[in-house]
Amino acid sequence: MSEGDPFKPLTVRIRDACRMTGIGRSKLYELIESGDIEVIKIGRMTLISVSELEAFIAAHRGVNSARRH
């Protein structure tokens, strides 16, 4: 990365994924357990790719408003 490029992580830990998405910790673990969100395990560390989170949010954008109509 050049000095002018903003830093964008490839992966984040659970706590940061919750902060980024607004999804609670319990709900995020439910989504992981159901396979809706894929994780990367490195030893005891659980990581989620930022692109995985972005894809999940994009796929669910407008779902609730579509149900109301």
Side-chain angles (χ1 to χ4, degrees):
M1 270 191 204
S2 71
E3 192 174 308
D5 291 340
F7 172 75
K8 182 178 177 188
L10 297 175
T11 61
V12 292
R13 293 184 182 216
I14 296 293
R15 175 183 33 201
D16 296 322
C18 291
R19 247 186 253 140
M20 290 170 64
T21 62
I23 298 171
R25 188 176 180 87
S26 296
K27 183 62 178 178
L28 185 59
Y29 277 111
E30 286 177 25
L31 293 168
I32 291 167
E33 184 66 30
S34 69
D36 290 321
I37 293 181
E38 187 176 315
V39 297
I40 301 160
K41 292 291 285 183
I42 300 176
R44 293 178 53 186
M45 187 173 21
T46 302
L47 300 170
I48 303 175
S49 76
V50 172
S51 60
E52 177 80 11
L53 292 173
E54 291 170 340
F56 177 81
I57 295 299
H60 290 82
R61 186 170 283 142
V63 169
N64 290 333
S65 63
R67 289 182 186 163
R68 286 186 233 144
H69 298 293

